[in-house]
Amino acid sequence: MSKEFSGIVKAWEFTVKKATAKKRAKKNIIFATMSVAHVDDDLDTPGEVYYAEKILNNGDIYTGQWSDNCPNGHGKYLWSDGCMYVGDWVKGKTMGKGKFSWPSGATYEGKFKNGYMDGEGIYTGCSNDTYRGSWVINMKHGKGTRDYVNGDHYEGEWRRGQPDGQGRYQWINGNQYIGQWRNGKMNGNGTMIWANGNRYDGSWEDGFPKGNGTFRWGDGSFYVGIWSKDTREQSGTYYPSSSRTGTFDWDPQDVHSNDLLGCQISPGERISVYPSQKMVSWPCEGEFLQKLPIAKTPKANKRNSVDGRLSNGDGYSWGSEADAGSNSVYSDQQRESSEGMRSFSTDDLDNSRGFTPHCIKIQPNKKAGTTIAKGHKNYELMLNLQLGIRHSVGRPAPATSLDLRATAFDTKEKIWTKFPTEGSKHTPPHQSAEFKWKDYCPLVFRTLRKLFKVDPADYMISICGNDALRELSSPGKSGSFFYLTNDDKYMIKTLKKAEVKVLLGMLPAYYNHVRAFENTLVTKFFGLHCVKLTGPAQKKVRFVIMGNLFCTGYAIHRRFDLKGSSHGRVTEKPESQIDSTTTLKDLDLNFIFRLQKVWFQEFCRQVDRDCDFLEQERIMDYSLLVGVHFREVSGSGEPVTTETRSSGVRTPTANADQSSDGSTPRLSRADMDLLFDPSGWASIRLGINMPAKAELTVRRSDFESQLVGEPTGQYYDVVLFFSIIDILQNYDISKKLEHAYKAFQYDPTSISAVDPKQYSKRFRDFILKVFAEDT
């Protein structure tokens, strides 16, 4: 033990003994007599809270409130390497307010959750690099300010540890940037103001001006144009001020090569080790981790964790959600033999209250749809579609700006191309019958694909490669057919003529909306086309190409289509027939989805924005499509629960080396922070790969009057996917008649066809009951 550390321990022990003596002198003492012992020497009386000093076998020391063989309440923990935590504990984990200090002098003071820095907190590095703001699982996430060691300052929004969103960065040399950020770089609309008075207002990409922008000098001169690091894309016009005379030798590329050299973003001080990496497995909640069988992998699987942790590198790993197909790190035998977490039992409910019990059973996943092979009735249509897409995407076109002219959205803006069997100057020969191909607003959809960062080559390969499309088994309620690309990236939906008109009519507003809000939940459209078959029928097939929400490595165990209405919103299927491809409806929903605070706030804001947009466009009958992946499923096909909150339903938690029947107990993913998938954080966006908790609900027998069931306190760790779909139905005369007809027979508020304003309000109210903040 070093002299410096020995001094720290002695000083700390003296403080502890002094404080202990004072407590003993009090008449009305609230704790039992302090004991000094090794942790494994004590046997607690269950539930008893007392003040104790514990010396662990590894040399660590804990002093503070103690019960059930672990820290509970307020306490101080000193590690042998000099790290120290003082604050609140719950069942052996840092939970609540506390302060963690490093031997280097760095400190974190703020909120903790399950061992992680989580909530509002201040980190001060050993070099005074300081962050004040919101944290989520050891990462700066939410609103916060940071003073860097080099004197720079940032104030604004953060995501996953990086400036992301709206923010202001002030350099020590006087330069400053105010605008949008993405992944720690200037990205989006923003303004750079140099200390010498010059400024740039416009678009940015990856830290550099890209797109439309204006550069202004202090004397009033300015340059307006399209900016790019590629000189071939750079173009613009210089406007001198009245005070500037003579020739002016200036190149826009100077901004990239010179002016921005003094505007590098500071990497800041890195945290050497995270508090969650220092947490101890106490007998009350995790001593048996070392005894728990760990699945051996063929190869050492070293994945970076949220807090910099790695698997042990010996060929063993705690697993990761990246291995989404396995659902659990436990073998089937271990699943069946463990009782630490049991699935929801309807016996625990008081059925006399009129609740309808729910059973959750996960069926094996299967791939949706039927491959369109030769001989299929739509085989030729698929070939025509693939030929047309290849022609549209591969057609040479100049580089486009994201700022489109109004003429690009003209409904008459379409291109017809004839595809004769023998081929032509612009089309290849093919084996199917002659057909015509129509592109609607090609420039707009080409720009949308660019905006959504769709690579043209990948797009063409997905749709037009060697693999056939898959047709979903049955058409939707509207009569539309759906096709999926073999890689699941894109969905193709046939449209009625009226739906095409709606999409073209709302296209300018849709384009502006998705451009303004990158986290929008509305469906992403990539192309709108038409195939006109030759012959006496002259049949036209119109279709739109969209992104597939469920293109993910995670297995989607449950999917829900939610509108906020009750009439007819139930799936008449027995539990045994419900599988991963079954789309359940409002009255089938038996969960409340709880998101972390920062994500829930962003979710509420975006739902409001998207509903406002759809209401303005007179759109109704849309729904929120939700996909649920349960992080862990037992061998018998039931999702495994996490910790229970205050409720009449209890989920036992393993707190000893063995369960009552002698089998090895298990931990839930929430209890085992090591099992949380850190690699997935890089791909989390609103509605995509979102970690959450799903709380089971139950309905009364008169369920039609209760859209959202009663919460039970039964929780599951899940990954969510959600998007607003079916946005091409406006409130036309047919929908007005449908509303009038059904209103005579049913409660007018329960039917789907209602005025867009009423629909929007009902939809928001319902969705914000289904989704809630995880407190």
Side-chain angles (χ1 to χ4, degrees):
M1 184 180 292
S2 68
K3 290 182 179 179
E4 181 184 357
F5 176 64
S6 178
I8 292 173
V9 171
K10 286 179 180 179
W12 183 67
E13 286 178 343
F14 176 76
T15 305
V16 170
K17 288 176 182 177
K18 190 175 179 181
T20 304
K22 286 183 180 178
K23 288 182 181 292
R24 282 176 174 168
K26 291 183 180 179
K27 286 184 179 181
N28 298 323
I29 191 163
I30 59 172
F31 300 113
T33 306
M34 183 177 74
S35 62
V36 179
H38 287 280
V39 172
D40 0 14
D41 294 340
D42 291 353
L43 286 175
D44 294 350
T45 302
E48 180 188 8
V49 179
Y50 62 95
Y51 194 86
E53 180 179 333
K54 303 289 182 179
I55 302 173
L56 280 72
N57 292 331
N58 60 5
D60 296 352
I61 302 172
Y62 171 81
T63 181
Q65 290 176 288
W66 185 272
S67 71
D68 295 330
N69 285 327
C70 60
N72 260 308
H74 191 82
K76 181 188 292 185
Y77 193 103
L78 180 66
W79 282 267
S80 58
D81 62 2
C83 291
M84 185 168 66
Y85 171 81
V86 182
D88 298 333
W89 298 77
V90 176
K91 294 182 180 179
K93 290 183 181 178
T94 55
M95 185 89 76
K97 291 184 179 179
K99 181 176 181 179
F100 189 95
S101 55
W102 287 260
S104 63
T107 61
Y108 169 82
E109 189 167 3
K111 292 290 188 69
F112 286 81
K113 185 175 179 181
N114 290 325
Y116 292 106
M117 299 183 288
D118 199 302
E120 294 296 315
I122 302 172
Y123 173 82
T124 305
C126 58
S127 55
N128 283 327
D129 186 331
T130 304
Y131 171 82
R132 297 175 177 83
S134 180
W135 298 74
V136 174
I137 312 183
N138 289 342
M139 291 184 292
K140 304 170 188 72
H141 195 90
K143 290 189 176 180
T145 62
R146 184 169 185 177
D147 294 300
Y148 294 87
V149 62
N150 64 356
D152 294 353
H153 174 84
Y154 173 82
E155 180 177 356
E157 296 175 338
W158 297 74
R159 288 191 184 177
R160 301 187 288 278
Q162 297 286 352
D164 198 305
Q166 192 72 21
R168 180 177 69 88
Y169 193 101
Q170 176 89 41
W171 284 267
I172 192 172
N173 60 13
N175 300 339
Q176 65 173 317
Y177 170 83
I178 305 167
Q180 295 175 316
W181 296 76
R182 185 185 294 167
N183 294 329
K185 294 182 179 180
M186 298 169 281
N187 204 100
N189 291 322
T191 298
M192 175 71 75
I193 304 173
W194 282 268
N196 61 9
N198 296 344
R199 63 183 288 163
Y200 169 83
D201 299 90
S203 298
W204 296 76
E205 188 174 295
D206 291 331
F208 293 95
K210 181 70 182 290
N212 289 322
T214 302
F215 188 91
R216 303 176 188 275
W217 286 266
D219 63 2
S221 304
F222 61 95
Y223 171 90
V224 180
I226 297 174
W227 294 72
S228 176
K229 291 177 73 174
D230 187 342
T231 54
R232 294 171 297 179
E233 297 178 358
Q234 178 82 44
S235 64
T237 306
Y238 167 69
Y239 297 90
S241 67
S242 56
S243 61
R244 180 170 289 188
T245 58
T247 58
F248 180 59
D249 185 18
W250 177 80
D251 186 345
Q253 293 298 314
D254 290 346
V255 174
H256 296 90
S257 56
N258 297 326
D259 296 358
L260 289 174
L261 288 180
C263 301
Q264 302 299 312
I265 308 303
S266 174
E269 180 182 314
R270 297 191 64 177
I271 298 176
S272 57
V273 61
Y274 289 87
S276 55
Q277 292 175 269
K278 304 293 293 181
M279 289 300 100
V280 177
S281 296
W282 299 95
C284 70
E285 52 84 29
E287 185 183 54
F288 55 85
L289 277 178
Q290 298 170 3
K291 302 178 183 180
L292 192 67
I294 305 173
K296 188 167 184 178
T297 56
K299 213 173 177 182
N301 183 17
K302 294 193 175 184
R303 288 189 177 92
N304 287 315
S305 77
V306 165
D307 47 23
R309 195 164 23 191
L310 294 172
S311 62
N312 61 16
D314 296 325
Y316 295 90
S317 171
W318 281 108
S320 164
E321 283 299 321
D323 307 319
S326 65
N327 297 324
S328 171
V329 296
Y330 301 97
S331 67
D332 289 343
Q333 186 178 359
Q334 289 165 336
R335 287 197 194 100
E336 291 165 359
S337 66
S338 62
E339 284 188 341
M341 292 293 176
R342 63 177 170 82
S343 61
F344 175 70
S345 171
T346 56
D347 295 336
D348 291 327
L349 292 174
D350 181 5
N351 288 325
S352 64
R353 290 184 294 166
F355 286 120
T356 303
H358 286 277
C359 175
I360 303 176
K361 191 85 170 177
I362 303 300
Q363 302 292 342
N365 261 59
K366 63 181 183 181
K367 206 161 187 176
T370 305
T371 301
I372 304 176
K374 197 166 186 177
H376 190 284
K377 63 177 182 178
N378 288 325
Y379 180 72
E380 283 208 358
L381 178 63
M382 180 191 73
L383 294 181
N384 296 345
L385 186 153
Q386 291 177 324
L387 282 167
I389 294 291
R390 191 178 291 116
H391 172 76
S392 298
V393 178
R395 186 168 47 230
T400 59
S401 163
L402 295 180
D403 294 319
L404 296 176
R405 295 180 179 178
T407 53
F409 297 94
D410 190 339
T411 54
K412 297 178 182 177
E413 186 67 19
K414 47 199 169 191
I415 300 174
W416 277 106
T417 305
K418 191 174 181 180
F419 279 77
T421 305
E422 66 278 7
S424 68
K425 183 179 178 181
H426 303 289
T427 64
H430 57 90
Q431 298 178 350
S432 60
E434 181 179 304
F435 68 96
K436 285 186 177 181
W437 172 262
K438 184 195 288 187
D439 272 330
Y440 295 92
C441 298
L443 180 59
V444 176
F445 286 102
R446 181 182 290 269
T447 312
L448 278 171
R449 293 194 293 271
K450 179 181 177 182
L451 184 67
F452 294 139
K453 293 184 168 41
V454 174
D455 182 80
D458 291 343
Y459 182 72
M460 199 185 302
I461 290 171
S462 290
I463 302 174
C464 314
N466 294 327
D467 295 315
L469 302 177
R470 300 199 314 277
E471 183 179 69
L472 297 190
S473 55
S474 61
K477 186 179 176 182
S478 64
S480 298
F481 283 86
F482 294 85
Y483 304 95
L484 279 172
T485 56
N486 193 60
D487 58 8
D488 287 333
K489 284 186 178 179
Y490 303 103
M491 180 174 283
I492 300 165
K493 177 186 179 182
T494 62
L495 299 180
K496 296 177 181 177
K497 186 176 183 180
E499 291 175 310
V500 172
K501 285 184 177 179
V502 171
L503 178 52
L504 292 175
M506 69 187 288
L507 197 54
Y510 171 84
Y511 180 82
N512 291 330
H513 183 76
V514 298
R515 186 180 177 188
F517 305 109
E518 67 171 346
N519 280 336
T520 180
L521 298 175
V522 298
T523 306
K524 288 181 170 62
F525 294 124
F526 301 124
L528 181 62
H529 312 282
C530 174
V531 171
K532 183 179 180 181
L533 305 176
T534 55
Q538 294 283 302
K539 181 183 176 184
K540 288 184 180 179
V541 181
R542 304 170 183 86
F543 55 90
V544 65
I545 302 175
M546 307 174 289
N548 178 22
L549 176 65
F550 299 144
C551 178
T552 169
Y554 291 105
I556 302 299
H557 298 128
R558 284 287 184 272
R559 57 185 73 194
F560 297 93
D561 182 273
L562 307 175
K563 292 188 176 185
S565 58
S566 58
H567 177 64
R569 300 296 295 163
V570 66
T571 303
E572 301 291 349
K573 264 191 177 185
E575 176 68 26
S576 59
Q577 293 180 22
I578 294 175
D579 59 25
S580 60
T581 63
T582 304
T583 301
L584 302 170
K585 299 179 183 178
D586 301 63
L587 295 178
D588 302 307
L589 181 68
N590 53 344
F591 295 109
I592 292 174
F593 301 113
R594 300 194 179 275
L595 305 177
Q596 289 206 1
K597 181 179 179 179
V598 175
W599 283 116
F600 178 68
Q601 290 173 342
E602 176 63 23
F603 174 76
C604 293
R605 284 194 295 266
Q606 196 56 55
V607 167
D608 282 339
R609 293 165 182 158
D610 291 339
C611 286
D612 286 342
F613 157 67
L614 295 170
E615 184 182 325
Q616 288 166 11
E617 294 301 309
R618 301 287 295 164
I619 303 297
M620 44 77 67
D621 214 24
Y622 47 87
S623 54
L624 187 75
L625 181 63
V626 181
V628 184
H629 165 80
F630 292 98
R631 284 186 179 275
E632 194 171 353
V633 179
S634 70
S636 57
E638 292 148 348
V640 176
T641 55
T642 63
E643 78 275 6
T644 302
R645 316 229 175 148
S646 55
S647 163
V649 183
R650 298 194 58 195
T651 305
T653 304
N655 58 4
D657 286 348
Q658 287 188 331
S659 56
S660 58
D661 66 350
S663 61
T664 303
R666 70 185 302 145
L667 293 178
S668 72
R669 288 199 179 266
D671 288 331
M672 293 177 66
D673 296 327
L674 286 169
L675 292 184
F676 187 82
D677 175 23
S679 61
W681 273 82
S683 60
I684 294 173
R685 290 189 299 107
L686 188 66
I688 303 292
N689 291 339
M690 296 210 68
K693 280 193 170 61
E695 182 177 8
L696 192 70
T697 61
V698 291
R699 282 181 215 284
R700 296 188 298 269
S701 326
D702 56 337
F703 62 85
E704 288 213 9
S705 64
Q706 186 188 30
L707 271 178
V708 180
E710 301 287 341
T712 64
Q714 189 86 5
Y715 289 83
Y716 303 90
D717 278 333
V718 297
V719 179
L720 297 181
F721 300 81
F722 46 85
S723 175
I724 297 176
I725 63 168
D726 294 338
I727 63 170
L728 299 181
Q729 181 61 62
N730 62 1
Y731 196 54
D732 57 12
I733 186 63
S734 65
K735 286 295 178 182
K736 291 177 182 178
L737 290 172
E738 180 186 340
H739 173 79
Y741 173 72
K742 289 184 177 179
F744 279 110
Q745 300 173 289
Y746 311 103
D747 178 1
T749 61
S750 71
I751 60 180
S752 182
V754 294
D755 176 84
K757 188 171 185 178
Q758 183 183 345
Y759 192 95
S760 172
K761 183 181 184 307
R762 185 180 67 186
F763 179 81
R764 291 186 226 209
D765 291 345
F766 173 63
I767 293 303
L768 295 183
K769 288 177 184 175
V770 173
F771 285 78
E773 182 182 337
D774 181 13
T775 56

